[in-house]
Amino acid sequence: MPAQAAGAAFENAPATGIGLDSEILAAAARSPDVLPLLEFTLDELYRRDIDQAGGTFLTYATYRALGGLDGAVAAHAEAVAAAPPPAVAATLPGLLAALTVVGDDDRIAARTAELAALQRSPDEAALVQAMIDGRLLVVSGEGRAAQVRLVHEALLRAWPRAAAIVAADREAIRTRARIEAAALRWRAEGRAEDFLLPRGRSLAEAVELAADRPDLVGPELAQFVEASQAAD
């Protein structure tokens, strides 16, 4: 119906007479997280076939070129992430880790982060802006209160590079979550020394993460880890 309202139609396959809309509907019925993938794919079909090519219908050729529902968003995400200079693109693992969390069911999910915390260097800021411009990240709020998140969790499944990066960082993401929970309680208790990380595995993991993955440990967490080390 939105296509009809825009004056566009779906191509019918010459051999079978099946409309592209029917094929897309069949693919959508098989796919989890379908709505954001469907929205993105239809938007790309319209942009390429109608806006750019000046056509009047959405084509099988473009749909195939996009790679279907999953392929469309994956190809777009890869192009956005690969376009910046290497130093900027190299900050992608830290950005993805900052925007994800591992749930109790071991499922990787998206989470919201403060925009300022993701822009600690010019390279990080450049990648964040590129992904915002590329519609892979969405921003809410303004100024120091601005927050950012992935446009949808479907991106973590449909984009192979993102899925691989986050899977490799799964344990680091878990460790960060434990440190964050402890740091939150420490601040809630007036930064009392009794609520710092105790000697042993908890402190060792935190010190190791802060040293090896500073991209995962922002200034506030780093302060908490340093205070725990000093107390120890």
Side-chain angles (χ1 to χ4, degrees):
M1 298 301 288
Q4 291 177 5
F10 291 88
E11 180 182 21
N12 292 323
T16 64
I18 297 174
L20 177 59
D21 52 339
S22 296
E23 177 161 333
I24 293 175
L25 282 171
R30 298 190 300 267
S31 177
D33 302 321
V34 66
L35 288 180
L37 302 180
L38 181 62
E39 178 185 11
F40 182 86
T41 302
L42 292 174
D43 188 54
E44 279 296 294
L45 284 169
Y46 188 89
R47 186 177 68 83
R48 297 188 185 195
D49 286 334
I50 309 298
D51 284 348
Q52 294 182 351
T56 58
F57 55 89
L58 310 180
T59 67
Y60 271 95
T62 300
Y63 182 67
R64 299 280 188 265
L66 287 171
L69 292 183
D70 284 357
V73 70
H76 174 71
E78 191 62 34
V80 170
V88 174
T91 65
L92 180 62
L95 175 60
L96 290 175
L99 293 171
T100 52
V101 65
V102 180
D104 294 337
D105 58 356
D106 205 39
R107 187 177 70 88
I108 295 174
R111 75 168 192 168
T112 300
E114 293 181 358
L115 179 59
L118 303 180
Q119 298 178 317
R120 292 172 294 178
S121 73
D123 288 337
E124 289 176 328
L127 182 62
V128 169
Q129 190 59 53
M131 294 185 70
I132 292 172
D133 293 341
R135 298 177 298 155
L136 300 179
L137 301 180
V138 291
V139 179
S140 59
E142 298 180 354
R144 296 181 62 83
Q147 294 186 318
V148 66
R149 66 180 291 117
L150 293 168
V151 66
H152 198 278
E153 284 185 5
L155 193 62
L156 296 172
R157 178 184 62 80
W159 183 14
R161 181 146 69 117
I165 287 173
V166 176
D169 278 343
R170 184 186 296 267
E171 288 310 313
I173 294 170
R174 286 186 195 277
T175 300
R176 182 197 60 201
R178 289 195 290 268
I179 301 170
E180 285 178 334
L184 184 64
R185 186 178 183 191
W186 174 63
R187 288 192 291 272
E189 297 291 343
R191 300 175 182 257
E193 187 171 307
D194 288 347
F195 294 93
L196 291 169
L197 292 170
R199 175 181 295 182
R201 180 177 178 182
S202 295
L203 180 56
E205 284 183 338
V207 171
E208 182 179 3
L209 185 68
D212 295 345
R213 294 297 304 273
D215 54 333
L216 291 184
V217 180
E220 289 189 358
L221 278 191
Q223 182 187 46
F224 174 62
V225 175
E226 290 166 4
S228 299
Q229 278 187 287
D232 180 59

